Amino acid sequence: MVAVFAPPFGEKNIELPEELVLFTVPLRDIVVFPHISMPLLIGRPFSIEAVRRAWESNRLIFLPVQYDKEKEEVGEEDISKIGTVARIIRIATVEDNRLKILVEGLARAEAEKYFFDDVVTAKVKILKEEVPELTPEDKALIQEIKELLEKAVSLGKRIIPDMLYLIKSEEDPVKFADFVASVLDLKTHDALKLLETRDLRERLKLAYQFLYKEVSLLELQQRIREQARKTMEKEQREYFLRHQLKAIQEELGVGKNPEVEEYREKLSKLNLPAEVKKQIEKEMERLERLHPDSAEAGVLRTWLDWVLELPWNKKTRDRYNLKRAKEILDRDHYDLEKIKERITEFLAVRKLTKGKTKGPILLFVGPPGVGK
């Protein structure tokens, strides 16, 4: 089966017949839009053969989208009905006998029937573009898309300057919509959705929605980068200032704070949990930066003295000798019989349960000097 139409090579404005039969290359992970030139790498044998035959005949080819990119062999249900009729501009053989071609999209088309032999061919119908008279709302939408594109570029989106200029200066709304679609960072199914949308207004709205999402993502990425940059700058500044302070102290002969060094020596001898040790070291660094006579420095010294004197990881063995306990209570405390009895009861319960119960905690209340 051969194509039925052969345009003169090099002609810019090609009048395509309403129906024609073309060699077909199902594309994986890419969509070619009308009015856009794009390089393609062709690797499957049946696609390579289709390109060669198209090149030798009329240089026109039909480019639909393959739904499942992992499939090597395809059937009619695996290929989109809507695709792009394109002209092959250049063809070259690269490594592994694959072909690298440059194509120019000409028009949207719908496959009425696919034919599968040693190559894929399709009977296609050209989809005529109806250009409505632009309303003020349409013009406002086009202007908004142009401004969003400029914003995307300012946020780091890569668009060739010539392409950006072409989009901004294009007055044909059909070409404008396809130009915009070609520069969007879209997944294959989203790009295909744009290609399949025949109504121009709906296509412009859809392109705006995709572009708006992309700009929102770029803004978020920029905020993340800015936060990371500020964090790095702060850390670098603190690192520089600490080293500068150290150099100044050494120059003045101040050296290290002996009080803090004494605390560090005590800390090194203790077997503390990691979180506790980290907090103590943090407070030591604060003390080192404070003026020795400041009120906050006094509070920190008190806290460090207290926390470093605590019996970390030290335990005593409980003794439940009730007779011995009563002797000690009678020897050291006169009267207070009810309190002594309560203490003895508490120890008795602990002895019976071998210290495993979560019993009450004794609280001694009274003024100073009464024997608490």
Side-chain angles (χ1 to χ4, degrees):
M1 187 171 293
V2 296
V4 297
F5 175 69
F9 178 68
E11 185 176 325
K12 289 292 182 183
N13 298 316
I14 299 175
E15 292 293 334
L16 296 171
E18 186 175 343
E19 292 187 353
L20 61 166
V21 178
L22 295 174
F23 294 109
T24 299
V25 174
L27 299 179
R28 300 187 282 189
D29 267 347
I30 194 168
V31 175
V32 175
F33 287 93
H35 316 110
I36 300 297
S37 296
M38 182 176 292
L40 299 174
L41 192 61
I42 310 299
R44 289 182 287 188
F46 67 87
S47 293
I48 291 174
E49 184 61 26
V51 169
R52 291 191 187 280
R53 293 187 191 182
W55 179 258
E56 292 169 359
S57 57
N58 59 11
R59 303 193 179 183
L60 292 181
I61 198 162
F62 182 56
L63 302 173
V65 176
Q66 180 176 322
Y67 296 125
D68 185 354
K69 66 178 182 179
E70 302 299 331
K71 273 193 171 183
E72 290 296 326
E73 300 296 330
V74 294
E76 191 160 356
E77 70 281 357
D78 301 315
I79 309 173
S80 65
K81 291 293 185 183
I82 305 297
T84 300
V85 174
R87 173 172 53 180
I88 304 173
I89 299 174
R90 284 200 300 270
I91 181 172
T93 302
V94 294
E95 58 183 13
D96 299 330
N97 292 321
R98 293 182 295 175
L99 293 181
K100 187 174 184 180
I101 64 174
L102 179 65
V103 298
E104 177 192 6
L106 300 177
R108 281 175 174 76
E110 182 177 5
E112 296 181 338
K113 179 68 176 176
Y114 284 111
F115 304 92
F116 298 88
D117 197 355
D118 55 336
V119 295
V120 182
T121 53
K123 180 182 178 183
V124 301
K125 180 180 180 181
I126 301 299
L127 301 177
K128 298 296 183 182
E129 297 279 4
E130 296 182 4
V131 184
E133 185 176 347
L134 295 181
T135 64
E137 289 79 7
D138 296 332
K139 294 177 182 178
L141 179 59
I142 290 173
Q143 183 60 35
E144 185 68 21
I145 291 174
K146 291 179 180 179
E147 291 176 3
L148 269 181
L149 272 176
E150 288 184 344
K151 187 174 183 180
V153 171
S154 70
L155 291 169
K157 181 176 176 62
R158 294 183 180 180
I159 301 178
I160 300 172
D162 291 345
M163 187 63 184
L164 184 61
Y165 174 78
L166 188 63
I167 294 173
K168 291 168 63 177
S169 60
E170 182 56 59
E171 296 182 357
D172 184 337
V174 174
K175 290 184 179 180
F176 174 81
D178 288 330
F179 287 163
V180 172
S182 70
V183 299
L184 293 176
D185 186 14
L186 298 175
K187 294 181 179 178
T188 307
H189 64 271
D190 288 331
L192 179 60
K193 190 175 181 181
L194 269 174
L195 184 68
E196 292 175 335
T197 304
R198 296 188 59 181
D199 184 88
L200 178 60
R201 286 194 176 96
E202 291 303 315
R203 199 186 311 157
L204 286 170
K205 290 178 183 178
L206 191 58
Y208 173 80
Q209 291 171 8
F210 287 137
L211 180 57
Y212 185 85
K213 289 180 182 178
E214 189 172 339
V215 169
S216 299
L217 179 61
L218 288 169
E219 287 177 331
L220 178 60
Q221 290 173 337
Q222 187 186 52
R223 285 198 296 271
I224 292 172
R225 285 195 297 268
E226 186 65 20
Q227 289 172 358
R229 184 185 64 80
K230 287 181 179 179
T231 301
M232 288 181 64
E233 286 180 353
K234 182 181 178 182
E235 290 176 353
Q236 289 173 350
R237 181 172 177 272
E238 289 178 352
Y239 176 82
F240 172 75
L241 289 175
R242 278 196 296 269
H243 279 263
Q244 193 176 44
L245 179 61
K246 183 179 178 181
I248 292 171
Q249 288 176 339
E250 290 177 354
E251 189 69 24
L252 294 174
V254 176
K256 296 181 179 179
N257 188 327
E259 185 180 31
V260 175
E261 290 304 310
E262 185 180 344
Y263 284 134
R264 286 201 174 102
E265 186 178 351
K266 288 182 179 180
L267 179 62
S268 66
K269 295 177 181 179
L270 297 176
N271 182 21
L272 302 180
E275 292 181 2
V276 176
K277 187 174 182 180
K278 184 178 179 181
Q279 184 62 36
I280 293 174
E281 288 173 343
K282 182 179 178 181
E283 298 302 331
M284 286 180 182
E285 290 176 3
R286 282 183 60 204
L287 178 61
E288 203 166 24
R289 292 193 297 268
L290 293 173
H291 191 281
D293 297 331
S294 67
E296 190 176 358
V299 173
L300 277 178
R301 287 192 198 95
T302 302
W303 185 84
L304 287 169
D305 288 335
W306 172 77
V307 78
L308 292 173
E309 291 298 326
L310 288 175
W312 294 98
N313 296 321
K314 293 181 180 179
K315 298 179 181 179
T316 58
R317 187 175 180 180
D318 291 335
R319 291 178 292 178
Y320 299 114
N321 189 327
L322 301 182
K323 184 178 180 181
R324 176 63 178 159
K326 192 171 186 312
E327 289 176 357
I328 293 173
L329 288 171
D330 290 337
R331 184 192 67 199
D332 295 343
H333 301 279
Y334 176 74
D335 199 14
L336 306 175
E337 294 300 327
K338 288 185 178 180
I339 296 174
K340 293 176 184 177
E341 184 179 347
R342 181 69 187 92
I343 294 172
T344 306
E345 287 176 358
F346 177 80
L347 292 173
V349 172
R350 296 284 292 177
K351 182 177 181 180
L352 287 172
T353 58
K354 298 182 180 180
K356 294 181 180 179
T357 57
K358 295 182 179 179
I361 298 173
L362 295 179
L363 174 64
F364 299 99
V365 181
V370 298
K372 294 192 298 298

